[in-house]
Amino acid sequence: MAESDEWSTKANQAVQLSLIQPGEAASKELVTFHPAFTYPIFGDEETIFGYQGLNINIRFAAHDLQSNVEISWDRKFKTIGETKATDIKETLKPYLPETAFEKSSNFDTHIQSDTLAQDFKPPGKLTSTYTSKGSTFEIWTGELRDPVVERILRRMEIFVSFFIEGGTPIQTDGQDWTTERWKVFLLYEKLSTPPTPTASPYSFIGYATAYRYYLYNRTSPPTPPSTPPQRYLPSAKHTFKLSPSPEISPSSLPCRERISQFIILPPYQHSGHGTHLYHALYTTFVSDHLVREITVEDPSEAFDDLRDYCDFAHLHSNNTFAQIKLLTPPPSKKNKRIRISTLLDQSLLSTLRTRNKIAPRQFARLVEMYLLTQIPSHHRRTERLTRKGNSPDENDRAYYFWRLVVKQRLYKHNRDEMMQLDRLDRIDKLEEVLGIVEGDYLRLLRGVEGRRKKGLGSEVVEGVTNGDRDKDDADGEGEGKRERTKRKVIFEDEDADEEEERDERVPKKAKG
């Protein structure tokens, strides 16, 4: 065991990633960083056997992400029987193009002498431009069916294994109908003055992918014809010839857009880039008349937070929230039973949700979060609810009915689990989860306010991503500092989006 440890190296520390630019005399590193995960490549233990002083430097051209692998070590384990050192090149080959394993000197020469780099532009269409800390950034959008977009994507796919827990590269099998479904959003910094006259002004920051899938519209049954169809009996005199059906492209059908991968490289995280990239995706999809809804595929906790912040800011800035009120009934001596569904204008909520193309559960959470901000903090205490809905104080009543609204949603989306508990246990469980949900809302609202102060949102609340860290910006997957463990399961409301539930179950978290 001791000998094994002596020859084992932690892969996350041994692997070093860097973006390379040409310099005056030789190529230079722009940024250097380590992966968050290596278990998809080197196994669950994230260790590499057979080396001492091991370094694996995977270098990428900053503009087009051509790569090169440098491997060095102080000592290598001599094979004993079937026990031998890990073949690092063979292990990495499925994740990098063949050219990545050419001589490092060839890569350096290419970086330094590539005269085509000065004319490089990210593939696709320029979607948006923004400035931050005196630097200019551009977001380009392309489709996977574009060969240049696909080439760039294949070069960066190893980042999926390194930074998205459980992430897998996109599989299209070369079919046109599948590549048409995919969009790729590329985020680059554009330098006003390149490092050398022949260098590219562009350097890679991060990217996102999204794919569309057909949306089944639940409509009313078709109107039957006014006259019943006539039965037609074929005869030998008649021949049939079916006309060819028109070709239908997936890009011409009503759809949901699903965000699949979302990465900001670690050196550029917590600087607002994730917010800008998400905003580019959202505005692109909202402006597309074929897109009915925007969803996310198995989001990390950090991305959940980023999405909450951005969606909250959007609904505030377009005055969606201003139209929503909690319809708190007045005190009643008769203890009149209140239908919880009447506490909100359900028709209005449906209209607003559809207009903003936000998934049902996500929209409900954002509405609950906003309504909580409308209740003064000193009224958000259960000890003030002794008279429940009959409190003479309007804010106390609002808090009581707000709790009922949230509880009803939690109960509906966990009906099967709840029905396995007896009545008293159900009450206790709902109360427990409500406390968790409210606490998470308050954490998010503090982050919203922090982001507003940093200029990352215009919303103002009374009152980040990455758990309880106060970084105010969850760029990328944001899980690099966290051990790879299963998310804690307490009790969670499942997504109200039935189509999405049938298609893919999202891991449970202690979140509303």
Side-chain angles (χ1 to χ4, degrees), residues 26-227:
S27 60
K28 62 179 183 179
E29 293 180 347
L30 181 62
V31 291
T32 300
F33 49 100
H34 292 277
F37 312 108
T38 52
Y39 68 88
I41 300 175
F42 294 106
D44 287 344
E45 298 301 320
E46 297 185 322
T47 59
I48 302 171
F49 176 76
Y51 302 88
Q52 293 179 359
L54 176 65
N55 288 290
I56 304 170
N57 190 8
I58 306 177
R59 303 184 295 165
F60 298 86
H63 64 297
D64 65 2
L65 297 179
Q66 292 190 60
S67 57
N68 177 257
V69 179
E70 288 182 315
I71 305 173
S72 63
W73 58 84
D74 296 334
R75 295 178 63 194
K76 184 176 180 179
F77 182 81
K78 293 182 179 180
T79 301
I80 300 177
E82 296 183 357
T83 304
K84 57 184 178 179
T86 302
D87 189 332
I88 297 173
K89 284 188 178 180
E90 285 299 318
T91 303
L92 288 173
K93 276 185 178 180
Y95 301 91
L96 290 167
E98 188 65 31
T99 54
F101 301 95
E102 295 178 356
K103 291 183 179 180
S104 296
S105 58
N106 294 345
F107 179 77
D108 290 326
T109 300
H110 172 74
I111 292 293
Q112 203 61 16
S113 61
D114 183 11
T115 57
L116 297 178
Q118 61 185 327
D119 299 321
F120 172 84
K121 284 187 177 181
K125 176 184 177 182
L126 179 61
T127 301
S128 64
T129 302
Y130 64 94
T131 59
S132 176
K133 299 179 181 178
S135 299
T136 300
F137 300 88
E138 296 180 351
I139 298 174
W140 293 71
T141 305
E143 296 182 350
L144 194 53
R145 60 181 173 179
D146 181 341
V148 183
V149 172
E150 183 175 16
R151 183 164 62 248
I152 290 280
L153 182 68
R154 298 309 174 199
R155 290 173 179 173
M156 67 175 69
E157 278 188 327
I158 195 170
F159 293 141
V160 174
S161 298
F162 282 152
F163 295 106
I164 300 180
E165 186 171 4
T168 56
I170 296 172
Q171 302 292 335
T172 61
D173 300 323
Q175 299 292 327
D176 290 341
W177 69 273
T178 57
T179 56
E180 284 184 21
R181 300 169 61 196
W182 286 90
K183 281 188 174 64
V184 181
F185 296 77
L186 301 169
L187 172 57
Y188 278 85
E189 180 180 1
K190 185 178 183 182
L191 301 175
S192 56
T193 304
T196 67
T198 60
S200 171
Y202 287 98
S203 60
F204 180 73
I205 301 295
Y207 81 103
T209 62
Y211 65 94
R212 58 176 52 196
Y213 58 101
Y214 176 69
L215 173 67
Y216 173 70
N217 284 319
R218 297 178 178 86
T219 58
S220 56
T223 304
S226 55
T227 57

Side-chain angles (χ1 to χ4, degrees), residues 392-458:
D393 189 291
E394 182 178 0
N395 289 314
D396 289 344
R397 293 201 308 277
Y399 184 52
Y400 171 76
F401 288 114
W402 177 87
R403 288 166 54 86
L404 290 184
V405 169
V406 180
K407 282 184 178 181
Q408 183 187 58
R409 181 177 64 83
L410 292 170
Y411 180 84
K412 280 184 175 180
H413 300 313
N414 294 276
R415 186 185 300 273
D416 291 344
E417 292 88 344
M418 294 298 292
M419 293 308 295
Q420 297 175 25
L421 305 175
D422 60 38
R423 182 177 177 276
L424 292 179
D425 287 342
R426 284 201 299 269
I427 293 173
D428 290 342
K429 178 57 71 173
L430 275 176
E431 191 68 26
E432 174 191 349
V433 179
L434 176 61
I436 295 172
V437 170
E438 183 176 349
D440 198 54
Y441 284 171
L442 294 175
R443 176 186 65 85
L444 289 166
L445 291 169
R446 287 193 296 271
V448 166
E449 180 64 13
R451 291 166 63 85
R452 182 193 66 80
K453 292 178 180 178
K454 288 190 174 186
L456 296 174
S458 59

